[in-house]
Amino acid sequence: MPTVLVNGEPTELATPLTVRQLLERLELQGRRVAIERNGDILPRSRYDDTRLAEGDRFEIIIAVGGG
Amino acid sequence: MNDPLIIAGKTYSSRLLVGTGKYKDFAETREAVDAAGAEIVTVAIRRTNIGQNPGEESLLDALPPSQYTLLPNTAGCYTAEDAVRTLRLARELLDGHTLVKLEVLGDPSNLYPNMPETLKAAETLVKEGFDVMVYCSDDPIQAKRLEEIGCVAVMPLASIIGSGMGLLNPWNLRLIIDNAKVPVLVDAGVGTASDAAIAMELGCDAVLMNSAIAHARQPVLMASAMKHAVLAGREAYLAGRMPRKLYSAEPSSPTSGMIAPARGG
């Protein structure tokens, strides 16, 4: 089963997942996030058809308070 | 008075832009933003905390993009590459929103801008279709260069970020203002209302601040003070101040018709 990096944390997956399913597993469904996969932006329209592969690096970001 | 601020072709009625950091909670953030009358608010882009407090309110629930113009920043970026990457993510996060605040820092102890990296990032971002408002040193040559690259606003510091030291070099700001064809905003260093008024009297198009409001004893009250200071400074600038006349006293009241004849008048 694949191990991926999510925001720098190694995450082991019991089953193959799509990005949409990864967000659900992380309880981020319905939240406004943006995702970078292996250094490239992953558009929201691609969450359903993008499958996680061994060694994938994900950055999942949100907006926070800042000046 | 109809005196709009125009940035990247869009019209704003408020000349006070505020940051959203350092407040005690989102409710206070929202209250301060509204007391400031700000339409443009800066936000930072950060990793989500995986597995922590799912369902917790997010900043964008308190400040919905439908009601405020969000200005994602690159705070904490020290290279052009990191800044560009951050803003590409921000554009995806905000559904293609292109107005951004670029800042590339050079030294964590004083957060002074790294201008070579800032220029590099600005070039890439402008090519990629971003509308770049750029935090910069108060160097008129660098500010002009950023304008030539295609930035939609230049934002020199008044003093270093979070210092509250006010306008340390108003003459440099004047040089930048006099040379610029894009809006000039003072970004960083404002400490209290008079600083904001002085920036506007100098001819700045707007002021951007965070700590001066968030670190005040009463942030919401200070937000209101800043709103009035920016308005007052802008009106004073438009009205045109009287000339300074050292050692040339001139009374405001009539010099004739005194109940007792004044000597010499």
Side-chain angles (χ1 to χ4, degrees):
Chain A
M1 286 300 110
T3 299
V4 298
L5 275 180
V6 180
N7 291 352
E9 291 291 318
T11 305
E12 210 173 311
L13 304 166
T15 53
L17 293 180
T18 64
V19 170
R20 172 89 55 207
Q21 290 164 332
L22 173 69
L23 288 177
E24 285 164 11
R25 251 193 57 161
L26 299 172
E27 300 187 67
L28 291 170
Q29 69 276 23
R31 301 297 294 264
R32 188 189 275 265
V33 299
I35 300 180
E36 195 189 74
R37 175 176 174 254
N38 301 330
D40 294 317
I41 300 290
L42 183 71
R44 236 167 259 153
S45 58
R46 299 285 313 282
Y47 291 178
D48 283 317
D49 64 12
T50 303
R51 297 196 157 275
L52 275 57
E54 176 66 32
D56 273 353
R57 289 170 292 111
F58 289 93
E59 291 291 336
I60 306 179
I61 63 91
I62 56 169
V64 302
Chain B
M1 187 177 56
N2 184 31
D3 173 37
L5 168 68
I6 300 171
I7 299 174
K10 220 184 139 197
T11 298
Y12 303 91
S13 55
S14 169
R15 292 176 180 272
L16 175 55
L17 288 70
V18 298
T20 55
K22 304 173 181 171
Y23 288 97
K24 76 172 193 283
D25 54 33
F26 292 144
E28 187 185 62
T29 310
R30 166 88 187 234
E31 226 184 310
V33 167
D34 289 347
E39 295 166 283
I40 302 178
V41 297
T42 63
V43 299
I45 300 299
R46 291 290 181 272
R47 286 171 160 174
T48 53
N49 284 328
I50 297 298
Q52 283 177 22
N53 309 324
E56 188 186 35
E57 197 196 23
S58 76
L59 178 65
L60 298 191
D61 296 328
L63 297 170
S66 56
Q67 288 173 44
Y68 301 89
T69 298
L70 298 181
L71 188 65
N73 71 23
T74 58
C77 291
Y78 285 83
T79 64
E81 191 190 348
D82 282 349
V84 168
R85 195 176 158 201
T86 299
L87 292 177
R88 285 176 183 151
L89 276 163
R91 177 158 65 177
E92 170 66 15
L93 181 75
L94 300 172
D95 302 320
H97 172 91
T98 53
L99 188 68
V100 295
K101 171 179 164 177
L102 171 65
E103 56 180 298
V104 187
L105 306 174
D107 180 337
S109 70
N110 54 38
L111 304 179
Y112 207 82
N114 177 330
M115 290 312 298
E117 289 294 304
T118 301
L119 290 160
K120 208 161 94 183
E123 277 180 21
T124 305
L125 291 165
V126 168
K127 274 191 205 132
E128 293 187 11
F130 286 92
D131 294 316
V132 182
M133 300 175 71
V134 56
Y135 172 63
C136 55
S137 57
D138 62 354
D139 173 338
I141 308 304
Q142 304 292 330
K144 196 67 195 168
R145 183 77 198 100
L146 288 165
E147 179 183 324
E148 287 162 358
I149 287 170
C151 292
V152 299
V154 293
M155 307 200 291
L157 46 76
S159 48
I160 59 180
I161 294 176
S163 69
M165 293 284 284
L167 279 70
L168 297 185
N169 196 341
W171 309 111
N172 267 32
L173 293 175
R174 265 299 283 279
L175 288 175
I176 292 172
I177 292 162
D178 289 349
N179 278 322
K181 293 191 184 65
V182 295
V184 177
L185 288 77
V186 153
D187 178 3
V190 165
T192 187
S194 52
D195 297 332
I198 290 168
M200 295 306 293
E201 286 174 4
L202 275 177
C204 285
D205 294 278
V207 178
L208 198 170
M209 64 180 74
N210 190 151
S211 304
I213 297 174
H215 280 178
R217 203 149 32 83
Q218 294 189 50
V220 177
L221 187 57
M222 186 57 90
S224 167
M226 291 300 185
K227 176 174 81 177
H228 291 108
V230 167
L231 283 171
R234 177 64 181 175
E235 290 189 359
Y237 169 73
L238 293 175
R241 63 156 294 140
M242 65 166 284
R244 288 180 172 85
K245 290 185 289 188
L246 284 177
Y247 307 111
S248 165
E250 189 187 299
S252 303
S253 305
T255 50
S256 62
M258 301 292 291
I259 52 169
R263 253 183 298 174

